[in-house]
Each structure stands twice: as structure tokens, then as C-alpha cells.
Amino acid sequence: MAFDYNEAIRKLCKDICLRVPEFVNFDVERIGFYCRTSRNRRKTGTWASVTPLRFQNGSPVCVHTATRLDPRTQRPITQRFYYTSSLTPQRNGRALLYLFTIMTPRFIDNLTFNEKLLTIMHELYHIDPRFNGATRRFPGKNWKHGPHGHFEIKSQYFCDKWLSTDPPLDVYKFLEYNLADLQRQYGRVVWHVIRKIDLKPITEEEAFALDPNLRERYGHK
């Protein structure tokens, strides 16, 4: 039987979310687990990523505001542009809120067990604690990662917290192996690839239909 790397990551994340208090309200069934092929096998570069499928406060619409000068009056004019995700994948009939992507074979071959586990915790911590499809945000300019070193400290804390609960070995043992090890043990290793998700522009009315709260906020001229 082939070893499904995506499914192994999913089962691992499900166990983590059951045992780590900061993640207990995450519904792993609404996270899609996929892989992308890394262009090289160097250790540097992206190892994994979490892609939110919603935007700030969980809205399905991204609003971009731009201000320009009217060439006739030289007065500032504000324009709004609306976007939504180009792809809305589902699992068991429910829309996914996040995509958890592993870069293969870079993640599998170049990281130690501890580095792989730290990377997984790091990516889970990017998920908004309300699990609304948006990214966790921090105050200030560095809204994505918070104060310097914060993510590294928290990721290590989550690793220690989870391991202290004595999780079953078969849930995480695969992280100790590189691709050749897994192939020797299982014969074949498979993973699922998803195409890149981009933003697609939509009209104002389409945006208001997707998120009625936007009409209340921007519908009055």
C-alpha cells in the first residue's frame, strides 16, 4: 500500500489540535492538505505554508482601496477594487477555510524531525484563533509574525506541549524519515497537488452578494 503523505500530515495535525489548547477549536476537516513540488532540494526556502481562503475578519471578499488625483480638479478620488479567491475547494461538501501545503521533497528530505515538527506548529499558529478562514494578525507593522522571535518561541512551546501529552508514535514517526526511507518501507509515496490559488476581480454587486456586511460599510456613496 502506498504511503499518503498528505493524509499523514492531516492525521498529525488532527492529533495536535486535540492536544494543544491553543488549537482545540480548529476543525481539521476544513483544512485541505496538499503538496507542491519544490524546484530544488536546497534546505533554504519555503518548507510549508498555510493559505487562508478568506480575508480579514473571515470575509470571502478582499477589498483594496486606492486613492488618485482627479486630473481635472486635482482632488483625491478614492476607488475600491473587490477580489475573491479563484478557487473554493471543498471536503465532504463543506468549503475549506485553509490550505496546508508541504513543499516536496524539500520538507521531507532536508529537515530533521524537530525542524519538521516546528514547521508544522509554525504554520498552524498562522491560523486565526477564531478559525474563520483568515490569518492570525498581531498589532503593529509586523502584523503577520508579531514581535521579533515570537513565532519561534511559540512554535517550540507548542512542540513541547504536544510531546508532553505522549501522543501515539504512529502519528508522528513518519517525520523521522526522508523520502528514500519511506519508499523503502512502503514501496511508494504519494501526495496530492493543488494548483495555485490567485485572486480574481469581481464587481461591487458580486462583492456585496458574497459578504452583505460590505454593503453596509461601502454601499453608501
Side-chain angles (χ1 to χ4, degrees):
M1 179 182 293
F3 183 83
D4 187 330
Y5 208 85
N6 299 119
E7 181 63 14
I9 293 290
R10 187 191 72 81
K11 288 179 179 178
L12 172 59
C13 288
K14 185 173 184 178
D15 193 85
I16 290 170
C17 292
L18 289 172
R19 297 171 185 270
V20 177
E22 288 82 353
F23 303 148
V24 291
N25 68 318
F26 291 1
D27 183 358
V28 175
E29 297 305 312
R30 300 196 72 181
I31 303 175
F33 293 89
Y34 299 93
C35 287
R36 289 183 63 193
T37 302
S38 50
R39 294 182 179 179
N40 58 68
R41 293 174 178 264
R42 292 196 304 267
K43 187 171 181 177
T44 56
T46 302
W47 300 329
S49 64
V50 160
T51 303
L53 297 178
R54 300 289 179 91
F55 303 95
Q56 192 168 3
N57 297 319
S59 174
V61 178
C62 173
V63 183
H64 175 68
T65 302
T67 301
R68 64 178 180 87
L69 289 178
D70 187 311
R72 293 175 302 171
T73 65
Q74 292 300 302
R75 293 180 179 178
I77 299 175
T78 298
Q79 291 181 297
R80 294 189 185 89
F81 303 91
Y82 302 91
Y83 303 88
T84 192
S85 295
S86 61
L87 185 65
T88 54
Q90 295 190 348
R91 179 184 175 91
N92 298 326
R94 301 169 71 199
L96 298 180
L97 295 179
Y98 298 91
L99 300 182
F100 194 116
T101 307
I102 296 293
M103 296 301 294
T104 55
R106 183 186 293 150
F107 176 91
I108 303 174
D109 280 348
N110 291 334
L111 302 186
T112 65
F113 169 84
N114 288 334
E115 288 170 336
K116 290 175 183 175
L117 191 57
L118 275 169
T119 299
I120 290 169
M121 296 297 183
H122 178 110
E123 297 307 328
L124 287 175
Y125 191 46
H126 272 302
I127 294 176
D128 190 295
R130 295 167 292 182
F131 199 75
N132 57 6
T135 299
R136 184 185 297 267
R137 302 176 73 92
F138 295 91
K141 182 189 293 186
N142 195 12
W143 62 267
K144 193 171 184 179
H145 286 94
H148 178 70
H150 174 79
F151 252 69
E152 290 74 11
I153 293 171
K154 293 296 288 186
S155 297
Q156 186 61 61
Y157 166 78
F158 297 140
C159 288
D160 296 341
K161 183 76 173 178
W162 179 68
L163 289 171
S164 72
T165 66
D166 194 25
L169 181 64
D170 63 344
V171 169
Y172 63 88
K173 182 69 175 176
F174 74 100
L175 293 180
E176 298 179 357
Y177 304 135
N178 61 25
L179 185 57
D181 293 333
L182 291 170
Q183 288 171 334
R184 278 192 293 270
Q185 185 168 350
Y186 295 96
R188 193 162 65 100
V189 179
V190 298
W191 51 69
H192 312 284
V193 179
I194 191 169
R195 67 181 174 86
K196 184 179 178 182
I197 295 181
D198 297 311
L199 295 180
K200 67 174 182 179
I202 56 177
T203 66
E204 186 174 69
E205 282 305 310
E206 288 173 327
F208 291 168
L210 286 171
D211 186 353
N213 292 326
L214 294 178
R215 184 181 296 277
E216 182 178 342
R217 185 174 180 183
Y218 299 122
H220 304 290
K221 304 294 185 181

